[in-house]
């Protein structure tokens, strides 16, 4: 109650002293706190720090995207950490008020205003007028009866204070008579307001007593997938692959906790039975090409609840974010791929928009696999961000050729440029990675991007492998209904003591926000999944000594995401692979995928 009344004290004390009621109704006075709306649900309640989710560079495009929230559970980072904001010369609007000593300090109040003398009297005689920090009064703002009633009650308290401090000479008899009359007229509203506030306090106390926690938010995501292979052979057996329609699903629960409002501890539990149509050499098509983005982990049995992510993020300085994770990958934690390709890849909490893994990320981001590590993001002014990450996919394994620093690792560095209005983004990425002999990660590979041809994911048995990867990515928002993104990546593989190889991929994507319906999203992408373009003559990866991929396989993908309310969306899509496994002798493959997502 005290917090609510204090919001009105200096404001409507002024109003109640006016000799003319019309002045009070049409020229309300601003207090030192923002005047609430008539709905008492806006009563100020002190809340604990909110959990911070995805506390990375803010990459939304407010002027260009749909009005509807595409990711409703996403929480804006506290302090807008490392926000790359548009450059502007406009003053920041601030609703807090400042005391004025003369009505001339209020720039929007002129001597010709009909209420000027009344306002001048309140300023100079009572000293209770407050204005906005931009030196305006905003006198045309409307006032509700509930607000006036509460302000009148606060004005009485102020009058009692003046009388008690022997300052009654400041209050004229006619002012007191006016206030008494107004108090009688508004007594029903005052009584009703007190009742509503008492009820609100009781409801608030009940919620606080039954809540799960004051600092943790639970975010849930469930998806159901209809899928089928419409055409294509297994590239290993050279026989037609089964064309069975499947119905599968998965669920993830994410707990986000903040301890001081500027940090975040995230824990993700997930499980499901979605199998990718393109996954491994032992899968349906015998190739990594066309690997879908929604599939469950292949290292755990279907419908097994697993710990999918453990991460802690905090601000080392106002412009420096540090992410420490026990289970994740550097590309996701540093927020590198999402900002460059926002319409095809969403946050880890909301899942991908694109159907395939390839449509989300270029080659340079896909060698990491999940594991422990650290990532650091550094803001360099308003339009640049530099990030580095170190991940060890087998860093939790104490056996030989594993561990945090003696096993498989990925070191990543990236510089991102944002235009002042965020409609253009450019990124340059470098990755150095190493895999000891005969080690297997969560993706089922020892080394490689886990998408693309079989050869680009192959290594020499008993030999460690090093790669240096280079990538350029770009995104341009043409207008509110069209965006273009693309990338090109180049990799140099070295099979230690044996020889070298080169890998490459590229893609161009078009996104159509609000296509046919507000909040909907259409997407089309064409590219070449990672392939081996060259191999040393003395190295055999399964196709013969010195044999790299001989043909070019194209990946064509299209999807349409339709929103049913804010928390349900249906996304049908197709993936067409030409010359699967970069071999033109293999017939094209075609996948159908219909994903329904429920968020809670």
């Amino acid at each position: 109650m005290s917090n609510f009344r204090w919001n009105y004290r200096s404001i409507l004390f002024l109003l109640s002293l006016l000799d003319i009621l019309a002045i009070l109704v049409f020229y309300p006075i601003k207090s030192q706190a923002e005047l609430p709306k008539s709905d008492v649900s806006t009563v100020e309640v002190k809340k604990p720090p909110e959990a911070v989710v995805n506390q990375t560079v803010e990459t939304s495009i407010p002027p260009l995207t749909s009005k509807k929230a595409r990711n409703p559970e996403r929480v804006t980072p506290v302090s807008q950490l490392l926000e790359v904001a548009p450059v502007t010369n406009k003053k920041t609007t601030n609703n807090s008020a400042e005391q004025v000593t003369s009505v001339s300090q209020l720039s929007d109040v002129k001597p010709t205003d009909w209420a000027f003398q009344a306002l001048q009297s309140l300023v100079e005689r009572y000293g209770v007028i407050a204005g906005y920090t931009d030196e305006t009064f905003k006198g045309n703002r409307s006032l509700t009866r509930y607000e006036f009633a509460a302000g009148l009650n606060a004005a009485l308290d102020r009058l009692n204070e003046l009388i008690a401090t022997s300052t009654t000479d400041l209050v004229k008899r006619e002012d007191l008579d006016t206030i008494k009359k107004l108090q009688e007229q508004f007594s029903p509203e005052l009584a009703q307001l007190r009742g509503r506030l008492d009820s609100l306090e009781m409801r608030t106390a009940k919620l606080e007593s039954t809540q799960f926690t004051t600092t943790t938010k639970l975010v849930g995501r469930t998806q159901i997938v209809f899928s089928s292979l419409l055409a294509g052979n297994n590239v290993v057996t050279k026989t037609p692959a089964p064309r069975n329609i499947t119905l599968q699903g998965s669920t993830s629960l994410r707990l986000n906790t903040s301890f001081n409002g500027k940090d975040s501890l995230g824990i993700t539990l997930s499980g499901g039975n979605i199998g990718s149509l393109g996954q491994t050499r032992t899968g349906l098509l015998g190739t990594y090409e066309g690997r879908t983005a929604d599939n469950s982990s292949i290292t755990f049995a279907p419908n097994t609840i697993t710990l999918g992510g453990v991460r802690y993020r905090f601000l080392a300085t106002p412009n420096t974010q540090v992410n420490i994770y026990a289970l994740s990958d550097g590309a996701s934690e540093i927020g590198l791929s999402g900002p460059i390709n926002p319409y095809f890849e969403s946050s880890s909490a909301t899942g991908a928009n694109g159907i395939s893994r390839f449509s989300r990320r270029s080659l340079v981001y896909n060698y990491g696999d999940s594991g422990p590590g650290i990532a650091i993001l550094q803001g360099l002014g308003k339009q640049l961000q530099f990030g580095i990450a170190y991940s060890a996919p087998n860093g939790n394994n104490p056996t030989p050729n594993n561990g945090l620093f003696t096993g498989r690792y990925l070191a990543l560095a990236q510089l991102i440029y944002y235009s002042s209005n965020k409609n253009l983004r450019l990124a340059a990425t470098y990755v150095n990675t190493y895999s000891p002999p005969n080690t297997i990660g969560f993706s089922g590979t020892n080394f490689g991007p886990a998408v693309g041809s079989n050869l680009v994911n192959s290594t020499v048995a008993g030999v460690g492998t090093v790669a240096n990867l280079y990538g350029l990515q770009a995104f341009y928002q043409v207008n509110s209904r069209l965006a273009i993104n693309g990338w090109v990546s180049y990799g140099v593989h070295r099979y230690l003591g044996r020889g070298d190889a080169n890998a490459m991929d590229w893609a161009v994507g078009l996104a159509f926000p609000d296509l046919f319906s507000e909040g909907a999203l259409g997407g089309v992408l064409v590219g070449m999944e990672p392939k081996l373009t060259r191999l040393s003559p003395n190295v055999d990866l399964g196709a013969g000594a010195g044999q790299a991929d001989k043909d070019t396989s194209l990946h064509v993908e299209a999807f349409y995401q339709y929103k049913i309310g804010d928390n349900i969306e249906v996304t049908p899509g197709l993936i067409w692979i030409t010359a699967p496994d970069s071999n033109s002798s293999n017939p094209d493959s075609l996948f159908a995928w219909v994903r329904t997502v429920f968020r809670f």
Side-chain angles (χ1 to χ4, degrees):
M1 291 288 289
S2 61
N3 284 343
F4 186 77
R5 289 196 299 267
W6 178 249
N7 289 338
Y8 292 91
R9 282 185 187 276
S10 58
I11 300 174
L12 293 183
F13 166 62
L14 314 178
L15 303 178
S16 64
L17 294 179
L18 290 175
D19 295 332
I20 304 174
L21 180 60
I23 294 178
L24 300 179
V25 176
F26 295 102
Y27 224 127
I29 298 171
K30 183 67 181 177
S31 74
Q32 291 184 352
E34 174 66 14
L35 196 62
K37 304 292 185 181
S38 60
D39 186 354
V40 297
S41 63
T42 59
V43 173
E44 178 184 358
V45 179
K46 187 175 182 181
K47 297 188 294 184
E50 291 185 343
V52 183
V53 182
N54 292 328
Q55 188 169 303
T56 57
V57 176
E58 179 58 43
T59 59
S60 60
I61 314 171
L64 301 174
T65 55
S66 167
K67 294 180 181 178
K68 290 186 179 180
R70 199 173 301 282
N71 301 319
E73 73 273 27
R74 181 169 182 177
V75 179
T76 303
V78 175
S79 303
Q80 292 296 317
L81 178 65
L82 299 181
E83 180 179 10
V84 183
V87 178
T88 175
N89 293 323
K90 295 181 180 180
K91 287 186 177 181
T92 301
T93 300
N94 193 327
N95 288 332
S96 60
E98 293 181 349
Q99 182 63 50
V100 295
T101 58
S102 173
V103 73
S104 62
Q105 293 178 249
L106 303 172
S107 61
D108 59 346
V109 177
K110 299 178 176 57
T112 56
D113 291 337
W114 66 272
F116 179 82
Q117 291 184 352
L119 295 174
Q120 185 180 45
S121 176
L122 289 173
V123 171
E124 298 175 358
R125 188 170 63 172
Y126 295 103
V128 288
I129 282 285
Y132 287 89
T133 55
D134 59 359
E135 299 180 347
T136 63
F137 182 64
K138 305 187 190 303
N140 291 324
R141 181 181 180 274
S142 61
L143 181 70
T144 68
R145 290 177 64 85
Y146 283 119
E147 290 170 339
F148 181 78
L152 180 61
N153 190 56
L156 293 175
D157 291 341
R158 175 60 175 159
L159 285 177
N160 289 332
E161 180 183 340
L162 290 173
I163 295 172
T165 56
S166 299
T167 58
T168 55
D169 58 318
L170 295 176
V171 184
K172 293 184 176 181
R173 180 66 187 179
E174 54 266 30
D175 294 330
L176 296 177
D177 292 339
T178 299
I179 292 174
K180 182 178 180 180
K181 183 177 180 180
L182 290 173
Q183 185 182 21
E184 293 174 353
Q185 291 178 348
F186 282 90
S187 58
E189 283 81 3
L190 288 171
Q192 186 176 2
L193 180 61
R194 291 190 186 97
R196 295 180 67 181
L197 288 175
D198 291 341
S199 176
L200 180 61
E201 287 184 342
M202 292 176 60
R203 292 169 60 189
T204 301
K206 183 177 180 180
L207 288 173
E208 289 178 347
S209 65
T210 58
Q211 66 183 340
F212 169 67
T213 172
T214 59
T215 60
T216 302
K217 287 192 173 183
L218 176 64
V219 178
R221 181 178 189 271
T222 295
Q223 60 183 10
I224 299 173
V225 172
F226 285 92
S227 64
S228 177
L229 178 69
L230 303 180
N233 287 358
N234 185 295
V235 302
V236 176
T237 64
K238 305 297 182 180
T239 59
R243 285 137 170 84
N244 296 324
I245 298 176
T246 60
L247 176 60
Q248 304 166 90
S250 66
T251 296
S252 64
L253 298 175
R254 182 170 179 173
L255 295 169
N256 301 293
T257 298
S258 180
F259 301 99
N260 56 28
K262 296 183 179 181
D263 63 348
S264 172
L265 173 65
I267 301 173
T268 302
L269 300 175
S270 59
N273 60 2
I274 301 177
S276 174
L277 295 178
Q279 180 74 43
T280 67
R281 292 185 182 182
T282 59
L284 187 68
L285 296 170
T287 176
Y288 294 90
E289 289 175 328
R291 181 182 179 187
T292 53
D294 304 310
N295 53 282
S296 304
S297 173
I298 65 173
T299 58
F300 299 99
N303 299 317
T304 300
I305 301 299
T306 62
L307 187 64
V310 179
R311 59 189 62 80
Y312 179 64
R313 301 169 178 173
F314 65 93
L315 292 174
T317 73
N319 293 319
T320 307
Q321 176 182 308
V322 179
N323 299 351
I324 301 174
Y325 44 94
L327 185 60
S328 187
D329 69 86
S332 293
E333 283 304 305
I334 208 167
L336 295 178
S337 55
I340 302 303
N341 195 12
Y343 288 117
F344 284 82
E345 178 176 15
S346 297
S347 68
S348 59
T350 60
N353 294 324
I355 300 298
S356 71
R357 184 180 178 95
F358 174 66
S359 70
R360 300 186 303 155
R361 296 179 167 189
S362 73
L363 171 149
V364 292
Y365 299 123
N366 279 319
Y367 283 69
D369 218 336
S370 295
I374 184 172
I376 301 174
L377 293 91
Q378 178 65 48
L380 304 174
K382 294 290 186 180
Q383 295 174 237
L384 286 175
Q385 176 212 328
F386 179 70
I388 57 174
Y390 176 88
S391 296
N394 294 16
N396 63 325
N397 190 339
T399 61
N401 289 332
N402 289 290
L404 193 60
F405 299 109
T406 57
R408 188 178 178 187
Y409 76 83
L410 177 144
L412 182 151
Q414 177 164 289
L415 182 67
I416 303 180
Y417 164 80
Y418 298 85
S419 63
S420 58
N421 59 1
K422 297 183 183 179
N423 66 345
L424 174 66
R425 311 174 190 187
L426 301 172
T429 309
Y430 168 73
V431 174
N432 174 263
T433 182
Y434 166 71
S435 290
N438 306 319
T439 54
I440 302 297
F442 279 100
S443 64
T445 66
N446 161 254
F447 176 80
V451 293
S453 72
N454 288 336
L455 288 180
V456 81
N457 287 283
S458 298
T459 58
V460 178
V463 172
T465 311
V466 174
N468 290 291
L469 312 169
Y470 311 87
L472 293 174
Q473 303 92 45
F475 169 85
Y476 180 62
Q477 185 89 36
V478 180
N479 54 49
S480 62
R481 297 298 181 94
L482 175 63
I484 303 173
N485 73 281
W487 70 75
V488 59
S489 304
Y490 177 74
V492 179
H493 297 181
R494 172 158 294 178
Y495 314 102
L496 297 179
R498 299 295 181 88
D500 301 327
N502 298 122
M504 188 175 181
D505 77 335
W506 59 267
V508 176
L510 298 176
F512 306 93
D514 296 331
L515 182 63
F516 305 132
S517 174
E518 185 179 6
L521 175 67
V524 178
L525 181 133
V526 178
M528 180 185 75
E529 291 199 33
K531 60 175 284 188
L532 208 64
T533 59
R534 186 194 66 85
L535 183 64
S536 295
N538 58 328
V539 178
D540 187 349
L541 296 178
Q547 293 297 312
D549 288 314
K550 57 183 180 179
D551 297 313
T552 296
S553 174
L554 292 180
H555 176 114
V556 181
E557 179 174 339
F559 70 88
Y560 180 71
Q561 185 180 96
Y562 180 76
K563 297 186 71 66
I564 305 175
D566 291 333
N567 298 313
I568 304 176
E569 62 192 34
V570 179
T571 309
L574 293 171
I575 301 174
W576 174 28
I577 305 295
T578 70
D581 201 31
S582 298
N583 187 339
S584 59
S585 65
N586 294 322
D588 295 358
S589 58
L590 182 65
F591 313 162
W593 199 263
V594 182
R595 175 182 63 216
T596 302
V597 175
F598 305 87
R599 295 189 173 94
F600 54 93

